[in-house]
Amino acid sequence: MSLQHALLGVLEARPMSGYDLVRFFDGSTGWIWAAPQSQIYPMLRRMEQAGLIAGDEEARGPRLTRTVYSVTEKGHAELASWLGVAHDAAPPRDPFMVQALNFDMIPAAEAVAVLDAFIAEQDKAATEAEAHRDRLLRKDTALLKERLSRRDPEEHDRIARLKAHVFDGIAAVARAKAEWAREGQRLLES
């Protein structure tokens, strides 16, 4: 997945300024992709140059303006094309797994402590994903409300369930990782 497609997916729900997008992607717990400002603004410029989005200047106070971006027909076509094709899985790059692979090099108590922190992180991630899933099922997120405002009401429940399903998966993966770490702790302590 590329940042371009993540931005198109968000902008498809509603037009946003670069600042709004930075706030949305920067460490967002309600989304599945994080990106810093240093990546978002250059990507918006490239996407606008490619005709995938259009930027409109909006007044913001008596002297200031901001650019609000929306998806163009070409952008919709690009997003639909990308969505409709199976993509290869991203190559694994998990620093924690490299760390765990080498736990035999440190005292077991230190490795257990690292796993404790990992378990807490995964439990928190699962809880947050489940909470977001529940908000989606209630159709109670700003972005989903925007998206549904332009969709057939008969599709609203299905759309909410599809989006919630993603966060079910995130929670399930986090719970499985936490259980895997607990098993690692049992191995270290045996």
Side-chain angles (χ1 to χ4, degrees):
M1 177 174 179
S2 73
L3 176 57
Q4 171 180 293
H5 295 106
L7 289 167
L8 286 171
V10 171
L11 290 172
E12 193 278 329
R14 74 173 168 92
M16 290 187 192
S17 68
Y19 176 76
D20 295 333
L21 288 162
V22 166
R23 286 182 46 221
F24 188 80
F25 281 92
D26 188 22
S28 175
T29 59
W31 187 245
I32 56 173
W33 187 276
Q37 176 179 338
S38 63
Q39 292 177 357
I40 291 174
Y41 282 104
M43 179 58 71
L44 289 171
R45 285 190 291 278
R46 287 193 296 273
M47 291 168 64
E48 188 173 26
Q49 289 169 352
L52 300 174
I53 59 173
D56 294 315
E57 294 295 317
E58 270 188 6
R60 187 175 178 182
R63 291 186 178 162
L64 299 175
T65 62
R66 70 180 189 159
T67 305
V68 175
Y69 297 96
S70 57
V71 181
T72 63
E73 284 186 35
K74 183 177 179 182
H76 280 284
E78 169 62 27
L79 182 58
S81 174
W82 182 83
L83 291 170
V85 175
H87 299 276
D88 293 337
R93 291 181 65 182
D94 190 333
F96 182 77
M97 288 299 173
V98 173
Q99 186 178 8
L101 191 60
N102 291 290
F103 277 162
D104 63 303
M105 298 175 64
I106 62 174
E110 288 179 28
V112 167
V114 170
L115 288 168
D116 278 338
F118 180 79
I119 290 165
E121 177 185 291
Q122 294 306 307
D123 285 343
K124 180 179 182 227
T127 298
E128 288 174 353
E130 290 161 349
H132 194 70
R133 172 207 58 208
D134 293 345
R135 286 191 300 275
L136 288 165
L137 288 172
R138 290 190 311 268
K139 301 176 197 84
D140 193 27
T141 69
L143 199 60
L144 181 58
K145 287 177 184 178
E146 292 280 345
R147 190 177 304 270
L148 294 178
S149 72
R150 297 190 340 266
R151 301 289 177 89
D152 181 347
E154 290 186 18
E155 291 290 311
H156 288 190
D157 286 339
R158 183 183 69 84
I159 292 167
R161 285 192 314 270
L162 281 168
K163 295 188 178 312
H165 182 69
V166 171
F167 290 89
D168 264 339
I170 292 168
V173 168
R175 298 267 183 230
K177 285 181 175 182
E179 186 51 41
W180 166 86
R182 287 182 187 95
E183 177 61 24
Q185 286 179 321
R186 288 188 285 276
L187 289 169
L188 286 162
E189 293 169 341
S190 61

